[in-house]
Structures are given as C-alpha cells and as structure tokens.
Amino acid sequence: MNKVELRANRKLDHLKLSLEEVGNNLSNWFENVILVHQALPELNFDEIDLTCNWLGKNLAAPILINAITGGAKATKQINASLAKVAKKYGLAMAVGSQTSGIEDGSIQETYQVAREENPDGLLLANVSALSTVEEVFQAVEMIQADGVQLHLNVLQELLMPEGDREFKSLLDNIAEIVKQSPVPVIIKEVGSGISKEVALKLYNKGITNIDVGGCGGTNFAAIEALRHRPPRSNIFNTWGIPTAASLLEVKSLNLPVHITATGGIKTGLEVCKALRLGADIVGIAGYCLKILLRHGESQLSEELDHIINDLKIAMLLCGAKNTTQLSRVPVVYTGDLLCWIKQRNLTID
C-alpha cells in the first residue's frame, strides 16, 4: 500500500472510530464554568447581536465548523454538506488535513468542494505544522483559503506506527511559514490543548491566532490505540489540557492573540462560556460530524439552529447584548478548573 492509500485509509478509520465515540468520555471542563444569572437583563431577545469579523470576513455568529476531513473519495460529500450548512448560517469552516491532496491531485476535489459550495464564505486550509512553505502555498491555493491552520498533533503522531518522530525544528518551521504565508496562520492543537508556555513561544515567533484544541472532544489517542493491529491499551487516553483550562492558559497571558476554543463543544451554552472566557470564535467539529453522518444534512442544520438560538438565550440571561458585553459578565469557577487555575497561577478576570 502506497503513502496516499495509507493516508486515505487512515482518514476513513478516523471517521469510523470517531462515530463510535472511542474514548470520548473526557470532560472539557466547561461544567466548571458558571455564568452568573441576571434576572433583570434589560434586553429583548431580538437585540442579541452575534455578528463578528474574523480574519477580515464578516460572520453571522462566532462559530467555526472546524477541521474534520478530506483526502478520501468518500469524504467529498461530507465537506460539501458542511460547506452548505456553513453558508446557510454564515459560519466559518475549515477542511481537514490537506496533505493527501498535495500528494495526489486526483483527490483535491474532496477539499475543493467546500469552496465550490460556499464561494464567498470564510474557509481555512489545514496542513501539519511540519509542512514546508511550498506545501502551505499549495493548500491555500487548493481551496482559495482565507487562512491556514497548522495543526500540532505530537501525541497522535507518536501513537501512529507510521507517524512522525522528529519535532525539534517545529517552532522554527512555524516561524518561517508565518513570514511567507499569503494568508493568516492559525496554530491548532488537535485534542491535547495549548499551555501558556507554548502560547508564549508561538507569540514570540509571530503567531497571533491560536486554536487551543483542548481535551474533551475527539480522542485521537484512543482512536490510534484501536488502529493498532492488534489493538493496544493506551495509557495516554486521558492525556491533555481540558478545553476550558487551555483557553484560560492562553488568555491569562494577556497577549494580543485571537483565540479559537475547540474541544468537545456541543451546545450554545458551552459556546457562550467559551466566548466569556476569552475565545474570539468557537470551533465545533466531532459533534457536527456525528449528526451529519447519523442523521443527515437537514438534521445538522437544525442542530446548528438550536446552538445559535441557545447561545442567544444564554447571552440574554447574562445581560449581554453582544460578545463585547459578554466578555465582561460575572463568572464563577468551580471544581477541577478552579484547582487548575490556582495551581497554575493563572491571572484571570
């Protein structure tokens, strides 16, 4: 089996195992974030304004259908459906890793369909942070992207028999891509989170967009353990920084960095909490995939309608007309998240 076939099979394995919710029993810790109820909000529901500008484009809501798939023939329709829904609701979207499309031009259509279905929408390219500058250019050009995600997945790579093992030059490679990229660069973790130490290193190399990709969503450590033949037990299934904690880690630095909160987010209330904690935009990936593949495009559309409506309800209950006001509403931290804040000496409002 050649490299392209290996990647395609791996993508299909990931889709199958994510649908089985392998290892998806970890919390993103947003249950430890309590937004203080305001019984006199002095607002009407129709006044709630979710519009925002991100990467130079206007969105109807601060929500990103985050990187899911592409690179195998069977994934084309998935990206087409996701793009249609993103267009309908005025949301951003990212395609999955485009390495397969760079290696094999015949499957580029599985990514390009997202731009075809949403020609004016905000669309992000996606490649490994180990990619060359030329590969970044190819990924951006492939889908006429408005930005590019460079994904960090060190744990996943180490658990894949065919994965990368050399990461020593990763930060310098990111810095070089930032210098030459024709579009904004977003550094994205894929399920283990970003610490404040890493966020500071990235900022010092010119990165001003970080997707924390925290623990609590799709568990690639558990998935890769099952992809082994025979399957192996994996002591790293619980490794990582829960999404709410990772978001606060980055925010505590008080740097001019735009934060995307991704990792197990499923509801409008969780979106509201993530925005309050400092996210500029909130990514939803695995949850969208499960609904789409189990129930179809119309059901995914209906669920996003619920998420957006529930986000508005939560904001009204906080007395926040828009996301700027939401960033100032009172919040209480409890449980494991409060313990994390104290032990990590995070400075938060």
Side-chain angles (χ1 to χ4, degrees):
M1 185 180 298
N2 62 37
K3 187 187 296 186
V4 172
E5 292 173 329
L6 185 65
R7 288 187 188 277
N9 286 342
R10 184 167 71 228
K11 288 174 181 291
L12 295 176
D13 283 345
H14 289 166
L15 291 175
K16 176 179 178 293
L17 292 171
S18 65
L19 278 179
E20 296 174 7
E21 304 204 42
V22 172
N24 283 15
N25 57 350
L26 301 179
S27 168
N28 58 21
W29 283 7
F30 277 108
E31 73 273 15
N32 294 316
V33 179
I34 300 174
L35 301 172
V36 178
H37 175 62
Q38 302 299 325
L40 289 171
E42 293 295 321
L43 275 174
N44 296 326
F45 185 78
D46 290 343
E47 292 180 87
I48 304 299
D49 180 15
L50 299 182
T51 59
C52 66
N53 185 283
W54 191 57
L55 303 186
K57 282 195 172 180
N58 294 323
L59 301 175
I63 295 174
L64 162 69
I65 298 177
N66 219 338
I68 293 177
T69 194
K73 295 292 185 181
T75 65
K76 180 178 179 179
Q77 186 54 50
I78 295 174
N79 276 338
S81 294
L82 294 173
K84 289 177 185 177
V85 174
K87 179 180 180 180
K88 178 178 179 180
Y89 289 99
L91 310 179
M93 177 183 166
V95 298
S97 175
Q98 292 168 262
T99 302
S100 296
I102 293 170
E103 293 176 345
D104 180 3
S106 71
I107 54 177
Q108 290 187 6
E109 63 179 6
T110 66
Y111 306 98
Q112 292 167 335
V113 67
R115 178 55 79 196
E116 292 167 5
E117 294 291 347
N118 191 6
D120 299 318
L122 198 165
L123 186 60
L124 301 180
N126 182 304
V127 290
S128 168
L130 291 167
S131 300
T132 66
V133 171
E134 179 57 32
E135 287 169 336
V136 171
F137 288 164
Q138 289 178 266
V140 171
E141 178 64 24
M142 191 187 303
I143 60 170
Q144 297 298 299
D146 301 289
V148 58
Q149 294 176 332
L150 303 183
H151 61 257
L152 299 173
N153 63 335
V154 175
L155 175 58
Q156 183 185 10
E157 294 289 347
L158 292 173
L159 295 177
M160 289 191 293
E162 72 276 21
D164 291 310
R165 294 294 185 272
E166 297 180 2
F167 310 100
K168 193 171 183 179
S169 62
L170 196 51
L171 190 57
D172 288 339
N173 192 60
I174 289 171
E176 188 60 29
I177 291 172
V178 171
K179 289 178 183 177
Q180 299 195 45
S181 175
V183 295
V185 175
I186 302 101
I187 296 300
K188 172 182 169 47
E189 239 291 351
V190 298
S192 297
I194 298 285
S195 67
K196 61 182 179 180
E197 292 86 359
V198 167
L200 183 58
K201 289 179 181 179
L202 291 170
Y203 177 75
N204 287 337
K205 290 294 186 178
I207 286 291
T208 57
N209 288 281
I210 295 175
D211 183 335
V212 299
C215 181
T218 302
N219 191 328
F220 283 103
I223 286 173
E224 294 302 341
L226 284 181
R227 288 186 64 245
H228 274 263
R229 296 294 179 267
R232 52 172 279 190
S233 61
N234 186 4
I235 61 172
F236 295 101
N237 282 5
T238 59
W239 185 271
I241 308 170
T243 306
S246 184
L247 176 51
L248 290 176
E249 288 263 332
V250 180
K251 188 64 177 178
S252 71
L253 296 173
N254 196 30
L255 295 171
V257 171
H258 302 289
I259 306 173
T260 303
T262 306
I265 293 172
K266 300 177 180 178
T267 70
L269 180 55
E270 286 184 322
V271 173
C272 189
K273 290 179 178 182
L275 293 170
R276 168 57 185 87
L277 267 55
D280 295 275
I281 192 166
V282 179
I284 306 174
Y287 187 58
C288 289
L289 176 67
K290 293 180 181 71
I291 294 174
L292 176 63
L293 295 187
R294 289 172 179 168
H295 307 291
E297 185 181 316
S298 61
Q299 187 63 42
L300 174 58
S301 180
E302 185 175 328
E303 182 58 25
L304 282 170
D305 196 53
H306 289 317
I307 289 172
I308 291 168
N309 187 69
D310 290 345
L311 169 58
K312 289 183 177 181
I313 290 174
M315 289 175 62
L316 189 143
L317 294 175
C318 292
K321 181 178 180 179
N322 50 46
T323 55
T324 299
Q325 292 184 6
L326 181 61
S327 67
R328 298 192 291 265
V329 304
V331 61
V332 174
Y333 302 100
T334 66
D336 291 331
L337 181 57
L338 179 59
C339 182
W340 184 286
I341 291 168
K342 291 179 178 179
Q343 292 196 38
R344 290 284 287 162
N345 296 313
L346 302 183
T347 302
I348 57 175
D349 55 16

